[in-house]
C-alpha cells in the first residue's frame, strides 16, 4: 500500500510493476468553498489514466463526494482518491494547473519507494 501526490498533467510510474498512472484533468470542482454556505458538499471529479506496459491506457474518473466512486480497480490494483488540493475558497478563482491529487495505490507487495514521478 502506498500514498502519493501527483500534479495535474504528471505521470507516476511504478517501475517494478510496469504500471503508469497519469493525472489527466479535473472534470469538475463543485466542492463547497471555504467561507461559503452550501446545501450540499459538492464534488471534485478527476480523470486519471492507468496503463500497464504492453496494454492500451484506460481512463477512469475518481470523485471526492461519498455518493460517487472514489476508488477504481485496474489489473489487480485499487487506486483511491484521498484528497484534491487546493480546496476552493469563496470569491477566489481556481488555477486548474495548481491541482494536486493525493492517491492511495493498493496491491500485495508494493512499497512506496518503487514510484517515480515524471512529466
Amino acid at each position: 500500500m502506498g500514498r502519493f501526490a501527483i500534479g495535474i498533467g504528471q505521470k507516476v510510474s511504478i517501475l517494478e510493476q510496469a504500471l503508469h498512472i497519469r493525472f489527466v484533468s479535473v472534470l469538475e470542482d463543485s466542492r463547497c468553498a471555504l467561507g461559503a454556505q452550501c446545501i450540499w458538499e459538492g464534488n471534485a471529479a478527476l480523470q486519471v489514466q492507468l496503463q500497464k506496459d504492453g496494454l492500451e491506457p484506460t481512463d477512469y474518473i475518481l470523485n471526492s463526494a461519498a455518493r460517487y466512486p472514489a476508488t477504481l480497480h485496474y489489473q489487480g490494483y485499487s487506486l483511491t482518491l484521498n484528497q484534491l488540493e487546493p480546496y476552493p475558497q469563496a470569491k477566489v478563482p481556481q488555477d486548474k494547473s495548481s491541482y494536486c491529487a493525493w492517491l492511495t495505490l493498493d496491491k500485495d507487495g508494493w512499497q512506496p519507494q518503487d514510484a517515480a514521478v515524471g512529466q
Side-chain angles (χ1 to χ4, degrees):
M1 180 165 101
R3 187 171 189 247
F4 60 95
I6 183 172
I8 197 164
Q10 286 189 319
K11 179 174 80 173
V12 170
S13 294
I14 316 307
L15 303 176
E16 294 168 350
Q17 301 292 323
L19 178 67
H20 312 282
I21 302 164
R22 181 178 299 279
F23 180 2
V24 177
S25 68
V26 175
L27 303 173
E28 166 192 356
D29 191 355
S30 62
R31 296 174 292 174
C32 184
L34 297 172
Q37 292 186 0
C38 304
I39 58 171
W40 82 297
E41 66 192 307
N43 182 50
L46 58 109
Q47 179 184 2
V48 295
Q49 187 178 78
L50 279 75
Q51 181 179 17
K52 289 277 286 182
D53 286 352
L55 299 177
E56 290 294 317
T58 304
D59 291 326
Y60 293 91
I61 297 173
L62 295 173
N63 298 276
S64 66
R67 70 183 77 200
Y68 303 115
T71 299
L72 65 85
H73 301 280
Y74 174 82
Q75 299 288 321
Y77 297 89
S78 295
L79 185 68
T80 302
L81 173 62
N82 303 113
Q83 186 175 340
L84 182 65
E85 297 174 343
Y87 200 87
Q89 296 182 32
K91 300 180 184 179
V92 177
Q94 181 62 47
D95 175 11
K96 287 198 171 196
S97 68
S98 68
Y99 279 114
C100 178
W102 283 92
L103 305 171
T104 300
L105 180 69
D106 289 314
K107 181 174 171 84
D108 291 340
W110 185 77
Q111 298 297 319
Q113 66 267 18
D114 295 337
V117 177
Q119 293 290 342

